[in-house]
Amino acid sequence: MSKPLLQRTPLLTGDDGEAKRQEIRAYFHATLDAYERLFEVLDGDAAYYVKPIPLRHPLIFYYGHTAVFFVNKLVLAGLLDQRIDRHLESLLAVGVDEMSWDDLDDAHYEWPQVQEVRAYRARMRSVVDRLIASLPLTSPIHWESPWWTILMGIEHERIHLETSSVLIRQHALRYVRPHPAWAACPISGEAPPNALVEVPGGRIVLGKGDSDAPHYGWDNEYGRHVATLAPFAASRHLVSNAEFLAFVAGGGYADDSCWDEEGRAWRSYVCPDHPPFWVRDGESWRLRLMLEEIPMPWDWPAEVNCHEARAFCRWMGQQLGQPVRLPSEDEWHRLHQVASPGDVPDSRPANANLHLDHWASPCPVTSFPHGEFFDVAGNVWQWTDTPIYPFEGFRVHPLYDDFSTPTFDGRHNLIKGGSWISCGNESLPAARYAFRRHFFQHAGFRYVVGAPPPPPPASRYETDKLLSEYAEFHYGDEYFGVANFPRAVAAKALRAMGDRPCRRALDLGCAAGRATFELARRFDEVTGMDFSARFIGLGTQMAAEGVLRYTLTDEGELVTYHERRLADLGLASVRGKVRFQQGDACNLKALFAGYDLILAANLIDRLYSPGKFLATIHARLNPGGLLVITSPYTWLEEHTARAEWIGGYKKDGESYTTLDGLKTQLGGHFRLIEGPVEMPFVIRETRRKFQHTLSEMTIWEKFP
């Protein structure tokens, strides 16, 4: 009996709306079933709470995270009007990648019980199933379609099917058990000799259009990139364990000449002398798979991080007497063009170790020929030497604005081709996933010889129009005699503090973070928090590096380049007192409490539930602490449902202002001690177009 195929990612088009609905419904349930089967390999509840590696949360987080992601995105999209469990939807929302704003301090987490998360997943499944059954569907499905959010949740879970399998592979064996759905490849033999095969030069065109993409894609796949490549040679096979053994035995791990500066720093910290999944067994070696250790299959691909792959290439270059390197992303696509491995078919197994069509492990590097090459796609991911960057025309999806942009930092290299467990979007050639170079995935590599490719387009200057405008708004020039708004607001807040204690402050809706730094002139500790990870990234970069670089539109396609430094603003000395955190002001984690000052600048009229925020914010402040609110009161239903407005409408036939609403909402816990006063601000859009806005400030003291 052949192995049943895990359903493929649906086409975005189709003439039969009801058939498409049922296809997506089946895709949703098949994805959740596969994810839950993966966690069945954990042996007892204790396995959920021990971290497999220090830089990641324990597996209980990932078990619940994908379900929470679904609900949070559907609420944000306006497709759900009720949450399932606010506590879990805050606790398990963020903290997946090793970003500087992640909070991986175990003291801040009281993880839920396994049964609690299992029950939450069942409730989420039921809620989304009902939504799929009732939501109107028109074809094609596109970015603005509500169905895009559903596909986003499904594909996100398929990503974590793979990343969670890597963590399980890094778990101690005592925490896992065999499972019939996750059987490893039983085949191994003698490793083949590797050889370089010529790849002719040619032109590649990458990137999806908004209206012509056949499948769901993440934002970094959209836009356009065109390149003409010179001929190069690539290894016929992925580097096998046997081929990598020569590097290990030849002292490659200890040879400084094989490692770049970043690689040497990682090597000095970890002190490795062999790949991470190799296990010494006396004079021989074994290989750790997801659920077992087996005698070393020397003809399987070596699985390493990018630093190790680069070091091997330098070592191999020394043996061959010519430069050897990892391929670029463009070269991988040219190799894919030439080898033509084909897409994953709908009704039969892939001609590659891909999409769980064959085994729950790698397999021999000779198993799947693709033209003159093997494993151009599948088996294990292939490291490239290309740090991920945005294609021309890149834009973020508003419902997941931090999927790609935090990785445009020169520190995340692209992996291509997919692994044995890569499914859904991950199995498509257009997929663009990137990881920090010291991370381990189910990833190996092949090597190339050829002229060095041109560097990818620089992404270190912020080119996103909105982010650049806010960088200028916070750290840039003043216009028309109007004072810098975040600085002015922070200054008024600090004056209002008088002789009150200035220990901890919270800057809610901090955007690019200028007020966070300004408050740190007096406060011992200031947290800047925003819902948008894109904005948080600006503040984080300024805190880490003391500098922001960005482009501003002058007119049309003409831009100017700007550099702003904390030192020039007199703020360099406060960098160590600030931190930035992604969070939802309407659903804060319990640890965000005990503040002497909370600043909510231009925030309340952008919240989905300002009443909930105002009703609970007193619990975050110390007695006698101050709440500073500024807002232009621009109530828009695209941000806040009409029923949630706290002012700006007629009540009992009379005008009911937002200030009236603030007095009603806050009167039980606060007294108004200053304001209202109008605070102007100017945002530059182009050289000749500006927004001039008045924001009303009020300052409230919490009753002792």
Side-chain angles (χ1 to χ4, degrees):
M1 181 183 296
S2 61
K3 182 179 180 180
L5 300 180
L6 184 60
Q7 187 178 343
R8 309 337 191 178
T9 185
L11 289 171
L12 300 177
T13 56
D15 297 330
D16 187 335
E18 189 56 34
K20 183 61 60 178
R21 180 192 308 277
Q22 294 307 319
E23 180 186 9
I24 294 174
R25 181 174 184 268
Y27 191 56
F28 167 70
H29 286 291
T31 301
L32 267 63
D33 289 346
Y35 197 66
E36 288 162 8
R37 274 197 303 273
L38 177 66
F39 282 82
E40 290 173 5
V41 307
L42 297 181
D43 194 4
D45 285 2
Y48 285 84
Y49 299 98
V50 177
K51 285 185 177 185
I53 59 172
L55 292 177
R56 298 285 189 171
H57 287 313
L59 284 158
I60 188 66
F61 171 86
Y62 300 96
Y63 187 44
H65 168 70
T66 54
V68 161
F69 179 95
F70 247 119
V71 173
N72 284 339
K73 296 307 181 188
L74 291 170
V75 169
L76 187 60
L79 298 176
L80 291 182
D81 56 10
Q82 284 189 323
R83 292 186 172 276
I84 294 175
D85 186 318
R86 289 184 175 276
H87 172 64
L88 291 183
E89 286 150 12
S90 175
L91 179 67
L92 305 179
V94 294
V96 178
D97 198 8
E98 183 212 358
M99 297 298 183
S100 54
W101 56 85
D102 273 357
D103 182 1
L104 290 173
D105 184 350
D106 289 337
H108 291 165
Y109 295 95
E110 293 183 4
W111 298 114
Q113 296 298 305
V114 175
Q115 184 54 43
E116 182 183 357
V117 177
R118 187 175 292 125
Y120 180 91
R121 288 187 59 86
R123 292 172 64 190
M124 180 278 292
R125 186 191 285 249
S126 178
V127 166
V128 177
D129 183 79
R130 289 196 300 270
L131 184 62
I132 291 173
S134 61
L135 193 65
L137 191 155
T138 57
S139 181
I141 298 170
H142 51 77
W143 270 35
E144 287 73 30
S145 167
W147 286 85
W148 195 266
T149 314
I150 292 171
L151 290 173
M152 178 184 290
I154 299 172
E155 295 293 352
H156 174 262
E157 180 134 336
R158 291 203 170 201
I159 290 174
H160 281 285
L161 178 69
E162 176 150 357
T163 57
S164 295
S165 75
V166 177
L167 289 174
I168 291 170
R169 189 177 183 183
Q170 293 170 310
H171 230 343
L173 277 173
R174 65 180 179 276
Y175 292 122
V176 300
R177 58 192 173 196
H179 191 291
W182 302 100
C185 174
I187 304 166
S188 66
E190 186 176 346
N194 216 340
L196 290 166
V197 178
E198 293 296 323
V199 180
R203 183 173 183 263
I204 59 164
V205 180
L206 307 181
K208 297 177 178 179
D210 291 348
S211 60
D212 61 358
H215 301 99
Y216 176 90
W218 299 103
D219 55 9
N220 63 51
E221 299 170 26
Y222 289 80
R224 184 174 171 84
H225 171 72
V226 180
T228 300
L229 279 72
F232 61 97
S235 61
R236 186 185 306 277
H237 300 281
L238 299 177
V239 172
S240 67
N241 287 318
E243 192 172 10
F244 201 87
L245 177 64
F247 171 76
V248 175
Y253 274 93
D255 186 346
D256 283 352
S257 69
C258 296
W259 302 79
D260 59 21
E261 182 178 1
E262 183 185 347
R264 285 194 297 272
W266 169 79
R267 188 194 58 179
S268 296
Y269 181 76
V270 178
C271 301
D273 61 3
H274 59 78
F277 300 118
W278 289 22
V279 180
R280 291 188 185 275
D281 184 13
E283 297 299 315
S284 60
W285 293 95
R286 298 176 67 80
L287 183 67
R288 169 63 193 269
L289 304 182
M290 189 168 71
L291 304 181
E292 60 182 324
E293 284 181 7
I294 64 173
M296 179 62 71
W298 293 111
D299 59 341
W300 289 17
E303 294 170 272
V304 295
N305 68 18
C306 189
H307 294 312
E308 293 168 301
R310 282 174 158 180
F312 176 93
C313 288
R314 292 188 185 93
W315 178 85
M316 174 65 76
Q318 294 170 7
Q319 315 310 305
L320 297 180
Q322 58 181 325
V324 175
R325 56 178 172 80
L326 295 176
S328 67
E329 179 188 25
D330 291 352
E331 287 170 329
W332 181 87
H333 276 283
R334 179 59 183 152
L335 178 59
H336 193 276
Q337 277 184 343
V338 171
S340 299
D343 294 331
V344 175
D346 289 336
S347 57
R348 65 182 188 278
N351 180 33
N353 190 12
L354 195 62
H355 218 286
L356 284 171
D357 282 357
H358 302 282
W359 305 284
S361 76
C363 67
V365 297
T366 54
S367 299
F368 292 97
H370 298 144
E372 293 189 73
F373 296 89
F374 289 78
D375 294 325
V376 172
N379 214 356
V380 294
W381 288 96
Q382 299 170 47
W383 283 106
T384 77
D385 227 11
T386 304
I388 191 171
Y389 64 94
F391 289 155
E392 182 180 349
F394 166 84
R395 60 190 179 97
V396 300
H397 195 284
L399 294 181
Y400 200 174
D401 68 354
D402 57 334
F403 181 82
S404 297
T405 50
T407 66
F408 295 154
D409 59 1
R411 300 173 183 174
H412 292 72
N413 275 36
L414 282 153
I415 54 177
K416 302 296 291 185
S419 77
W420 53 269
I421 197 174
S422 300
C423 56
N425 168 269
E426 287 185 305
S427 69
L428 303 176
R432 302 181 82 221
Y433 294 91
F435 286 88
R436 291 178 184 260
R437 290 182 278 270
H438 63 272
F439 266 31
F440 295 101
Q441 293 298 115
H442 302 301
F445 66 104
R446 64 177 1 104
Y447 48 86
V448 301
V449 172
S459 58
R460 297 297 288 173
Y461 268 93
E462 181 56 66
T463 57
D464 182 280
K465 188 173 187 296
L466 180 63
L467 295 188
S468 294
E469 288 173 4
Y470 267 77
E472 178 72 0
F473 175 43
H474 279 234
Y475 302 102
D477 297 331
E478 296 179 358
Y479 300 97
F480 307 110
V482 176
N484 178 280
F485 179 79
R487 183 183 65 187
V489 167
K492 279 188 173 291
L494 291 174
R495 283 196 295 271
M497 287 299 294
D499 59 359
R500 295 176 176 84
C502 291
R503 293 162 298 208
R504 300 177 68 231
L506 177 63
D507 181 9
L508 273 175
C510 66
R514 174 68 179 274
T516 308
F517 290 104
E518 293 288 343
L519 292 174
R521 291 183 187 273
R522 278 187 59 192
F523 277 84
D524 299 329
E525 173 187 331
V526 186
T527 298
M529 179 178 292
D530 202 281
F531 190 79
S532 170
R534 298 166 64 210
F535 282 146
I536 291 295
L538 296 176
T540 299
Q541 182 180 339
M542 191 60 113
E545 302 175 12
V547 62
L548 279 181
R549 300 180 180 91
Y550 52 90
T551 63
L552 289 176
T553 300
D554 271 5
E555 58 183 88
E557 296 177 350
L558 303 180
V559 300
T560 52
Y561 295 84
H562 299 263
E563 181 178 282
R564 309 297 183 187
R565 294 182 175 274
L566 276 183
D568 297 335
L569 303 173
L571 293 168
S573 63
V574 306
R575 287 166 58 184
K577 298 199 291 181
V578 304
R579 70 180 183 120
F580 291 93
Q581 177 81 35
Q582 186 182 13
D584 180 353
C586 299
N587 196 23
L588 291 173
K589 294 178 182 178
L591 67 99
F592 296 110
Y595 295 103
D596 300 307
L597 170 73
I598 296 178
L599 170 61
N602 295 351
L603 176 69
I604 60 168
D605 59 349
R606 292 295 185 269
L607 297 177
Y608 61 83
S609 184
K612 184 178 298 293
F613 165 73
L614 294 169
T616 58
I617 196 62
H618 67 277
R620 312 288 177 171
L621 272 169
N622 294 326
L626 298 187
L627 171 65
V628 179
I629 295 175
T630 73
S631 175
Y633 307 147
T634 311
W635 297 105
L636 298 171
E637 290 197 74
E638 65 187 83
H639 300 301
T640 313
R642 171 64 179 77
E644 292 280 353
W645 294 5
I646 62 170
Y649 53 82
K650 292 287 186 178
K651 182 177 181 180
D652 300 325
E654 301 295 332
S655 296
Y656 189 77
T657 68
T658 304
L659 181 59
D660 294 329
L662 288 173
K663 291 177 178 177
T664 299
Q665 295 270 353
L666 297 175
H669 298 282
F670 294 88
R671 67 184 182 95
L672 180 63
I673 64 169
E674 187 172 332
V677 60
E678 290 189 333
M679 301 284 291
F681 63 88
V682 171
I683 296 179
R684 180 197 189 277
E685 293 187 17
T686 71
R687 185 178 177 186
R688 297 176 180 85
K689 184 182 178 185
F690 299 79
Q691 297 179 33
H692 184 204
T693 309
L694 296 178
S695 187
E696 186 173 274
M697 171 185 273
T698 52
I699 302 179
W700 308 78
E701 182 185 51
K702 181 179 175 180
F703 294 146

